[in-house]
Amino acid sequence: MTEQLARVNGIELCHESFGDRAGRPLLLIMGLAAPMIWWDEEFCETLAARGFHVIRFDNRDAGRSTRLHGRADLAQAYLLRRSPYTLADMADDAAGLLTELGIPAAHVVGASMGGMIAQTLAIRHPSRVLSLTSIMSSTGGRFVGRPSARALPMLLTAPPKDRESYVETLMRTFRLIGSPAYPFDEARMRNRAERTYDRGLPPGGALRQLAAIMADRDRAPGLRRTKLPALVVHGARDPLVHVSGGRATARAIPGAALDIVPGMGHDLPRAVWPRLIRGIERIALDRPA
């Protein structure tokens, strides 16, 4: 299926799907400054072959979805919890996309910021979430999931404007935050970086998304009220979102399964896909559509 635009929550979201529409609906939500193509096509196709109807989309301020406006003040976001928009807005975007696609409820998988959005979706729209898989994410509590000192500057630096510099910066970033136990796939990462740049980098988009993360409150109280099958996956060597964030998420969700992956950082190396896909499928089978 080719990329399409859906009018949702006052904006347009670019989305794409894989597999039979009669399959189990599975919504993939990606992270900070990351378009939907960071869910690799092969990953999506493998899930589709397992019987899922897979939907991936660009969050607002990413890829080909609507570019928002407004200056993000990270100090105000952290201290006063003010941001141009919120994670709740982004969760409402996801719920609206399901509505536009005629899907009453879906299994939801989120990575990094996408995990935060997925958690918020489960809290705000519990009837829309059949199961939740939260990957390399956190609860929003300010004493868990903190980035390491070497990874923090990466969050606070605006991406370069020219293509070559952007590609090289993203390559360096993933060498820093990626999985030390797995080989760095340079060709795959370069291709991802080039495609990301070519699909569009909304000016200020990454900082607005980061402000939404920083302004959000601890989701643990809301997660404790959820009643759904849940899997929390986290890399033991994640320098961007410390593994304590994953552990806190699993503690907060009643009955959640926790999978700490040795040697995994803040990425999804191909070698981990089979383990992750088995986990997603196992949790989804606990509550079929």
Side-chain angles (χ1 to χ4, degrees):
M1 179 179 175
T2 57
E3 295 181 9
Q4 298 186 43
L5 292 175
R7 189 73 182 174
V8 168
N9 205 16
I11 62 172
E12 287 187 328
L13 295 181
C14 183
H15 63 94
E16 186 176 28
S17 66
F18 300 78
D20 190 337
R21 288 179 178 274
R24 292 166 290 175
L26 179 69
L27 183 68
L28 301 177
I29 310 177
M30 195 27 86
L32 178 69
M36 63 181 178
I37 62 168
W38 287 27
W39 295 110
D40 290 69
E41 282 81 0
E42 185 181 341
F43 181 84
C44 296
E45 289 164 355
T46 302
L47 284 165
R50 299 288 187 100
F52 289 103
H53 173 213
V54 181
I55 302 106
R56 64 180 186 176
F57 70 101
D58 291 329
N59 286 308
R60 57 170 65 196
D61 262 337
R64 291 175 177 160
S65 288
T66 294
R67 301 179 177 195
L68 279 296
H69 303 284
R71 179 178 174 272
D73 186 318
L74 298 184
Q76 284 195 3
Y78 187 79
L79 297 172
L80 304 177
R81 300 190 186 276
R82 294 178 184 169
S83 54
Y85 51 79
T86 65
L87 292 183
D89 292 326
M90 301 180 83
D92 290 350
D93 292 347
L97 178 59
L98 292 177
T99 299
E100 285 297 307
L101 296 177
I103 299 173
H107 302 283
V108 179
V109 178
S112 195
M113 180 187 73
M116 301 172 192
I117 296 168
Q119 294 169 27
T120 307
L121 180 63
I123 294 167
R124 289 175 63 82
H125 304 278
S127 66
R128 312 303 300 273
V129 181
L130 296 171
S131 71
L132 170 66
T133 301
S134 179
I135 307 167
M136 54 190 181
S137 193
S138 189
T139 61
R142 290 186 169 175
F143 298 102
V144 296
R146 289 182 170 182
S148 68
R150 65 190 178 94
L152 182 60
M154 185 212 73
L155 285 173
L156 305 177
T157 304
K161 293 183 179 180
D162 69 279
R163 190 176 191 266
E164 183 177 352
S165 297
Y166 173 82
V167 169
E168 293 305 320
T169 296
L170 199 66
M171 298 277 284
R172 286 196 300 273
T173 295
F174 274 92
R175 285 193 180 95
L176 172 67
I177 68 173
S179 299
Y182 301 90
F184 181 74
D185 190 337
E186 183 163 350
R188 172 177 167 240
M189 186 53 60
R190 183 172 295 279
N191 177 264
R192 170 188 286 184
E194 291 170 349
R195 292 175 65 201
T196 299
Y197 185 90
D198 293 342
R199 292 182 82 251
L201 301 176
L207 288 178
R208 286 188 291 271
Q209 290 183 352
L210 181 57
I213 294 171
M214 295 174 68
D216 205 40
R217 296 184 181 277
D218 190 350
R219 291 175 293 281
L223 291 172
R224 292 189 187 104
R225 297 191 295 270
T226 58
K227 297 178 181 180
L228 78 173
L231 170 65
V232 177
V233 180
H234 215 106
R237 302 285 299 277
D238 190 334
L240 192 62
V241 180
H242 188 267
V243 68
S244 59
R247 296 187 188 280
T249 304
R251 285 196 303 269
I253 302 173
L258 175 63
D259 184 12
I260 303 297
V261 183
M264 177 176 148
H266 199 79
D267 64 348
L268 297 174
R270 187 182 296 271
V272 173
W273 291 1
R275 179 174 179 158
L276 177 56
I277 290 169
R278 284 194 302 269
I280 292 169
E281 187 172 35
R282 184 175 62 251
I283 291 297
L285 289 173
D286 283 349
R287 185 174 174 183

